[in-house]
Amino acid sequence: MPMPFRSFGIALLCSLAANAQTPEQILSTMAGTTQYKDVTISGDGRFVAYTVNLRNKDNTASRNSEIWLLDTAAGGGAGRRLTTVKTLHSEHSAVFSPDGKQIVYLSDAAKAQQLELYVQPVASGAARKLTSVTGFLSTPRWSRDGSRLAMLFTENAPRASGPLEPSTKDSGVVEEKSFEQRLTLVDPHTGDVKQITPADTYVYEYD
């Protein structure tokens, strides 16, 4: 039976404590571990994509992340970095197309802290930037026939949206403007963007 997460955490702390590490050393060890997220599998089960959170040189948390692709048919081979951008950026939320030939993801490679939607062939080929918007993007998904993409888009928002995100510093008239997260469609060929939910409605989730 798998060990419950809480029990695993207690066991890890006890193991570290047994080696006479200080609380600061224990927290540093735990914080310095590599974190993986956004794991997704292609429809045919051959490819696995995942996000790796990167750390700064001093081992502190970083906003940068990379997307890696693993070919399960390669038999124990190492994964390859999906994107072709050499410098470090925030890249995550990869999703395979229904036919498994393409993958879309969010990246701020074009402009720091401004995520855009990118599409890239799974087998080989360079990434192509689909959108050129101002605001915050999240949760990209393909339609079942692969003809459209959807995402959540908060246009012109000065910060990331969501109740758990930090708020911006008040200036001028407080609460003068609200920013609604809207369901938005994107043409995977042309990059045309169309917001389809009402401007006065905040969308948290969709399917």
Side-chain angles (χ1 to χ4, degrees), residues 1-8:
M1 179 181 296
M3 181 182 295
F5 179 77
R6 183 178 179 184
S7 298
F8 172 77

Coordinates of all heavy atoms in Angstrom, one line a residue, residues 1-8:
M1 N 0.9 -1.2 0.0 CA 0.0 0.0 0.0 C 0.9 1.2 0.0 O 1.8 1.3 0.8 CB -0.9 0.0 1.2 CG -1.8 1.2 1.3 SD -2.9 1.2 2.8 CE -3.9 -0.3 2.4
P2 N 0.6 2.2 -0.9 CA 1.5 3.4 -0.9 C 1.4 4.2 0.4 O 0.3 4.2 1.0 CB 0.8 4.2 -2.1 CG 0.1 3.2 -2.9 CD -0.4 2.2 -1.9
M3 N 2.5 4.8 0.8 CA 2.5 5.6 2.0 C 1.7 6.9 1.8 O 2.0 7.6 0.8 CB 4.0 5.9 2.4 CG 4.1 6.7 3.7 SD 5.8 7.1 4.1 CE 6.5 5.4 4.3
P4 N 0.8 7.2 2.7 CA 0.1 8.5 2.6 C 1.1 9.7 2.6 O 2.2 9.6 3.2 CB -0.8 8.5 3.8 CG -0.9 7.1 4.2 CD 0.4 6.5 3.9
F5 N 0.7 10.8 1.9 CA 1.6 11.9 1.8 C 2.1 12.4 3.1 O 3.3 12.7 3.3 CB 1.0 13.0 0.9 CG 1.8 14.2 0.8 CD1 2.9 14.2 -0.1 CD2 1.7 15.4 1.6 CE1 3.7 15.3 -0.3 CE2 2.5 16.5 1.4 CZ 3.5 16.4 0.5
R6 N 1.1 12.5 4.1 CA 1.5 13.1 5.4 C 2.5 12.2 6.1 O 3.5 12.7 6.7 CB 0.2 13.3 6.2 CG 0.5 13.9 7.6 CD -0.8 14.1 8.4 NE -0.5 14.7 9.7 CZ -1.5 14.9 10.6 NH1 -2.7 14.6 10.3 NH2 -1.2 15.4 11.7
S7 N 2.3 10.9 6.0 CA 3.2 9.9 6.6 C 4.5 10.0 6.0 O 5.6 9.9 6.7 CB 2.6 8.5 6.5 OG 1.4 8.4 7.2
F8 N 4.6 10.2 4.6 CA 5.8 10.3 3.9 C 6.6 11.5 4.4 O 7.8 11.5 4.6 CB 5.6 10.3 2.4 CG 6.8 10.6 1.6 CD1 7.8 9.7 1.4 CD2 7.0 11.9 1.2 CE1 8.9 9.9 0.7 CE2 8.2 12.2 0.4 CZ 9.1 11.2 0.2

